[in-house]
Amino acid sequence: MMRKFIPVAVSVLLLVNLAGCGTELGDGFIKEYEDNKEEIHQELSELWDGFLEEVNDWSESLATHSITKEQELIGNRERGADNYVGTYEASYTQFDGEEYIFGGTSLKRGDGSDLCATYSLTVQSGEATLYWMEGDNKIVIAEASDEGVYEFTIHAGKNFIVLEGEMFTGTLTLNVSQNSSKGD
């Protein structure tokens, strides 16, 4: 930001001098900048931080529409502090499709980016894949009956835990929480 400010300031000084207003105005402008340089940098930093916070809020509002809506879920989801954490339990009968159970598109998650998913997937028939979507990458957590813990770190962009089924009959229990074993 300061790199852009300095050429603008120099341009203003040149224009002032060329317009015949004298060098006193230009000298005063430079002195004012030099005397208040720290405050100018602080205000620009606060402005930038506020801008990033607004962009993050806007991005998160889009994510609210990206996870599967409560009334469209097969099971019961209870959200935690945000769309990234909570519990989910479901029994599926010949399910075809995808459920975006937890996640979002934040630039930065306020409560930390290290999460832990404890899951239990039982496949009685058909096919089911529980995966972590990070950007455009699908990272498989389970493709058959399995239970365990999956630790992951969310980054700016798409981050979802998804169940995909093809004529899937079975159950899923999922608990996503802050990973207390990792420091943020």
Side-chain angles (χ1 to χ4, degrees):
M1 293 296 265
M2 281 308 299
R3 290 182 191 177
K4 291 181 181 180
F5 179 78
I6 292 172
V8 169
V10 170
S11 297
V12 169
L13 289 175
L14 288 173
L15 286 174
V16 167
N17 284 329
L18 290 174
C21 293
T23 59
E24 289 180 20
L25 182 59
D27 290 342
F29 183 75
I30 290 173
K31 183 176 181 341
E32 185 70 27
Y33 170 74
E34 289 297 326
D35 290 346
N36 296 301
K37 189 183 326 185
E38 294 293 321
E39 290 82 10
I40 291 170
H41 286 272
Q42 179 65 29
E43 287 183 23
L44 288 174
S45 177
E46 289 174 8
L47 181 64
W48 181 249
D49 290 345
F51 169 75
L52 288 178
E53 188 174 317
E54 288 297 320
V55 169
N56 192 52
D57 289 347
W58 177 77
S59 178
E60 285 179 348
S61 72
L62 291 178
T64 301
H65 303 291
S66 297
I67 63 173
T68 304
K69 295 177 182 169
E70 302 295 330
Q71 63 269 24
E72 295 172 5
L73 284 171
I74 301 297
N76 181 38
R77 172 177 56 207
E78 292 192 27
R79 295 183 197 181
D82 57 20
N83 288 337
Y84 293 89
V85 295
T87 59
Y88 182 71
E89 292 184 24
S91 293
Y92 298 89
T93 304
Q94 296 187 340
F95 174 72
D96 281 318
E98 291 180 318
E99 290 189 313
Y100 287 70
I101 302 169
F102 294 110
T105 58
S106 294
L107 295 177
K108 183 175 181 182
R109 183 173 179 264
D111 290 334
S113 56
D114 293 320
L115 301 178
C116 179
T118 304
Y119 64 92
S120 176
L121 176 65
T122 304
V123 180
Q124 295 170 336
S125 65
E127 296 179 16
T129 303
L130 180 64
Y131 65 88
W132 169 245
M133 177 184 282
E134 180 180 36
D136 292 329
N137 299 322
K138 292 182 178 181
I139 302 161
V140 174
I141 299 171
E143 289 184 295
S145 293
D146 191 17
E147 58 183 51
V149 175
Y150 180 74
E151 296 179 351
F152 55 99
T153 300
I154 60 173
H155 302 282
K158 292 189 287 188
N159 295 278
F160 294 97
I161 292 185
V162 182
L163 177 84
E164 182 176 12
E166 202 172 301
M167 297 300 293
F168 168 53
T169 298
T171 62
L172 173 65
T173 302
L174 179 64
N175 179 36
V176 181
S177 61
Q178 191 68 35
N179 190 347
S180 58
S181 68
K182 285 182 120 178
D184 232 351

